[in-house]
Amino acid sequence: MIKEKCIKVAIVEDFKLTRVGLRCALNANIDIDVVAEAEDAIEGLKQIEKNKPDVILMDLGLPQMNGIEAILKIRESDKDVKIIALTSHDRREEVVAALSSGANAYCLKDIDPEKLAEVIRDVNDGVCWIDPLVADLALKAIPKIEDTSIVGNSASSQIKVPLTEREQEVLKHLVSGKSNTEIAKELIVSVHTAKAHVCSILQKMCVNDRVQAAVKAVKEGMV
Ligand code: CA
């Protein structure tokens, strides 16, 4: 594969063995290229600025500046780079802090390397992903639907076009934290088709992304 087509990944992780393991596992994928590594956030920010990765794997437990602060810092100047929070913690506060600071995904460190590669591809394509092991923590932490800053006022957030049976099925998988690739596998359709269903669901539900869709689905008892 031509190098420019690779997804460029940066790893910010203080534990050397984890960092090296991640690099080796990810570079084994023909479409993923680890272009930068750092053992703390300060160095990470420099490396990111210099190497312009597409996707950043950000450990949260880092010395001095922690991963959440680093994500906030990155988001001050870059809204587009994809950030995957990578952590061994499954505490609600940490999941919520990571996502609300601008991470696109939240991964536990015991994730299978192949799955992590899949998540990197999906996140690079604009998908948000929360490790299914912590997805319910994130959902439970979301304020009730009365908080109109998140889901819009309830009148305008009513679903006007009903979801098809297939879309309801896709929505269920989406709420359980499955990626497009996984949904495609479950439904025995192409990833392209799964993506198309997700797009249609987002439009019908009047939400911007799958996290909002999942929140709304749970709050409105759609699944
Ligand atoms: Ca760490």
Side-chain angles (χ1 to χ4, degrees), residues 69-79 101:
E69 292 170 290
I71 294 170
L72 287 169
K73 200 90 194 142
I74 294 165
R75 283 288 175 248
E76 281 175 13
S77 58
D78 193 336
K79 304 271 178 251
S101 64

Side-chain angles (χ1 to χ4, degrees), residues 13-15 59-63 86 88 109:
E13 159 68 56
D14 57 332
F15 192 48
D59 179 26
L60 295 185
L62 292 168
L86 193 64
S88 42
K109 278 185 180 169

Side-chain angles (χ1 to χ4, degrees), residues 21-38:
L22 281 169
R23 185 216 307 147
C24 293
L26 293 176
N27 277 344
N29 295 278
I30 196 162
D31 58 337
I32 295 177
D33 189 16
V34 176
V35 295
E37 277 177 55

Side-chain angles (χ1 to χ4, degrees), residues 25-161:
L26 293 176
N27 277 344
N29 295 278
I30 196 162
D31 58 337
I32 295 177
D33 189 16
V34 176
V35 295
E37 277 177 55
E39 62 180 16
D40 62 57
I42 311 274
E43 177 62 20
L45 293 176
K46 279 188 209 152
Q47 291 290 335
I48 289 159
E49 175 72 27
K50 186 171 151 212
N51 293 290
K52 307 266 178 272
D54 303 302
V55 178
I56 300 164
L57 286 183
M58 178 65 74
D59 179 26
L60 295 185
L62 292 168
Q64 299 158 6
M65 184 191 287
N66 69 36
I68 305 281
E69 292 170 290
I71 294 170
L72 287 169
K73 200 90 194 142
I74 294 165
R75 283 288 175 248
E76 281 175 13
S77 58
D78 193 336
K79 304 271 178 251
D80 298 324
V81 66
K82 306 295 191 260
I83 305 175
I84 299 176
L86 193 64
T87 168
S88 42
H89 295 155
D90 54 3
R91 289 197 310 263
R92 179 192 292 195
E93 309 75 54
E94 201 151 68
V95 178
V96 174
L99 295 173
S100 58
S101 64
N104 305 87
Y106 192 99
C107 258
L108 293 178
K109 278 185 180 169
D110 60 358
I111 188 170
D112 183 86
E114 278 172 32
K115 176 71 199 170
L116 179 60
E118 245 179 60
V119 171
I120 288 174
R121 290 183 193 108
D122 281 344
V123 167
N124 186 54
D125 282 344
V127 165
C128 294
W129 191 81
I130 305 174
D131 200 306
L133 292 172
V134 296
D136 68 318
L137 293 179
L139 291 174
K140 279 181 197 144
I142 306 283
K144 291 203 185 312
I145 200 157
E146 286 84 54
D147 185 347
T148 54
S149 64
I150 294 177
V151 288
N153 69 56
S154 53
S156 68
S157 67
Q158 291 301 315
I159 291 165
K160 305 206 169 58
V161 187

